[in-house]
């Protein structure tokens, strides 16, 4: 795939295009939007994709299209590609370094196996190009700006399956969990919440009373919890038990 780099304007394989001088002039003339609009920088692997995306977003009053020279101040970076490949991942990695901007992806062909890679590169929302009409694009951009994540239903299901598999096959055998509590800690604090004392917890979990005390003490110290009641309240508020 031959594209052009956003940063240096050179044509090379595996890079994203930079607008021509005439395009930059037109885009630099976009006035700064009033408060309340979402500022968006569009990155695309070719002129057709970039022009099409800008054409859909420009008329919308909710959106401010940010000129190239001000791309770093955009609230949202919108990356438009045919598929997720190495150049796309490199661009996402570069955008991830700007912590003030959140990234969304509009993609033609998408494999669920790439979802974890995208999440690791800071992508918080995905929309398939076949569904990218102006209303869905605006919904995507505004959701990203609000700190929300957006995924197609089938990808969300695959993500949940992946998390479940990770917990079952990787973390459970090590006594760990995706929460802030280990499996053993969660079990013990659940018994505390049910009113059991140290001796009873030891009997039910087949640990010594000393181990029970040590586990609860280490958990309370790590999470800066004052006592067992505080620990139970913390676990319940965070859905850990």
């Amino acid at each position: 795939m031959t594209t052009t780099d956003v940063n240096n304007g050179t044509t090379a394989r595996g890079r994203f295009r930079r607008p021509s001088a005439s395009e930059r002039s037109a885009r630099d003339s976009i006035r700064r939007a009033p408060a309340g609009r979402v500022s968006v920088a569009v990155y695309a692997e070719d002129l057709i994709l970039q022009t099409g995306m800008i054409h859909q977003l420009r008329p919308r009053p909710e959106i401010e299209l940010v000129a190239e020279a001000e791309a770093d101040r955009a609230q949202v970076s919108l990356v438009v590609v045919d598929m997720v490949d190495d150049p796309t991942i490199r661009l996402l990695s570069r955008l991830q370094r700007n912590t003030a901007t959140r990234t969304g992806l509009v993609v033609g062909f998408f494999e669920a196996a790439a979802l974890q890679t995208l999440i690791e590169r800071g992508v918080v929302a995905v929309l398939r190009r076949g569904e990218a009409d102006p209303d869905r694009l605006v919904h995507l951009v505004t959701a990203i700006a609000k700190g929300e994540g957006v995924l197609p239903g089938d990808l969300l299901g695959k993500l949940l399956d992946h998390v479940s598999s990770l917990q079952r096959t990787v973390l459970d055998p090590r006594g760990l969990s995706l929460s802030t509590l280990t499996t053993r800690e969660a079990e013990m604090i659940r018994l505390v919440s049910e009113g059991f004392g140290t001796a009873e917890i030891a009997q039910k979990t087949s640990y010594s009373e000393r181990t029970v005390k040590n586990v609860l003490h280490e958990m309370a110290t790590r999470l800066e919890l004052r006592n067992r009641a505080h620990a139970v309240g913390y676990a319940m508020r965070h859905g850990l038990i």
Side-chain angles (χ1 to χ4, degrees):
M1 175 177 58
T2 301
T3 52
T4 313
D5 193 356
V6 170
N7 284 327
N8 60 26
T10 58
T11 301
R13 180 176 180 79
R15 298 189 177 182
F16 284 73
R17 69 174 301 277
R18 178 180 179 179
S20 65
S22 59
E23 291 173 314
R24 291 199 301 273
S25 176
R27 288 167 59 180
D28 288 344
S29 67
I30 299 173
R31 292 175 295 178
R32 187 178 297 273
R37 297 175 74 183
V38 179
S39 54
V40 180
V42 176
Y43 298 82
E45 60 186 356
D46 61 50
L47 176 61
I48 294 175
L49 290 179
Q50 187 174 50
T51 301
M53 188 57 53
I54 291 174
H55 178 74
Q56 293 194 73
L57 292 175
R58 178 174 285 135
R60 299 300 296 249
E62 307 95 326
I63 304 299
E64 172 201 0
L65 288 172
V66 175
E68 179 190 5
E70 298 182 301
D72 286 344
R73 76 168 179 82
Q75 295 169 265
V76 175
S77 295
L78 198 60
V79 177
V80 189
V81 295
D82 284 322
M83 61 184 296
V84 177
D85 53 12
D86 288 343
T88 303
I89 293 172
R90 286 195 293 270
L91 173 65
L92 294 174
S93 297
R94 178 169 66 79
L95 295 176
Q96 190 177 21
R97 293 195 287 269
N98 181 1
T99 57
T101 298
R102 306 181 83 234
T103 302
L105 180 73
V106 181
V107 60
F109 174 73
F110 185 84
E111 293 182 342
L115 189 57
Q116 181 173 339
T117 299
L118 296 181
I119 293 172
E120 291 171 351
R121 298 306 189 281
V123 173
V124 298
V126 176
L127 180 66
R128 290 191 172 91
R129 273 176 42 206
E131 301 172 349
D133 59 36
D135 288 339
R136 287 192 177 96
L137 286 170
V138 170
H139 170 74
L140 184 81
V141 167
T142 54
I144 293 172
K146 292 176 183 177
E148 301 172 1
V150 180
L151 285 177
D154 62 310
L155 293 184
L156 179 59
K158 288 180 172 62
L159 176 60
L160 294 176
D161 288 343
H162 174 72
V163 171
S164 177
S165 175
L166 178 65
Q167 178 69 62
R168 185 175 59 255
T169 62
V170 178
L171 299 180
D172 283 347
R174 294 170 172 79
L176 303 173
S177 76
L178 290 169
S179 72
T180 53
L181 302 182
T182 67
T183 303
R184 183 168 65 172
E185 288 171 341
E187 181 182 13
M188 289 185 183
I189 200 64
R190 178 181 58 78
L191 292 171
V192 170
S193 73
E194 294 174 1
F196 293 106
T198 301
E200 294 169 305
I201 295 173
Q203 182 179 14
K204 289 180 175 295
T205 59
S206 299
Y207 290 110
S208 68
E209 290 186 39
R210 182 176 180 178
T211 297
V212 172
K213 290 179 181 177
N214 287 341
V215 168
L216 293 175
H217 175 73
E218 290 171 3
M219 179 190 67
T221 300
R222 187 178 74 249
L223 300 177
E224 299 181 348
L225 304 171
R226 295 185 298 274
N227 49 45
R228 292 190 179 188
H230 189 194
V232 170
Y234 174 91
M236 294 182 69
R237 283 195 304 274
H238 291 81
L240 305 178
I241 60 173

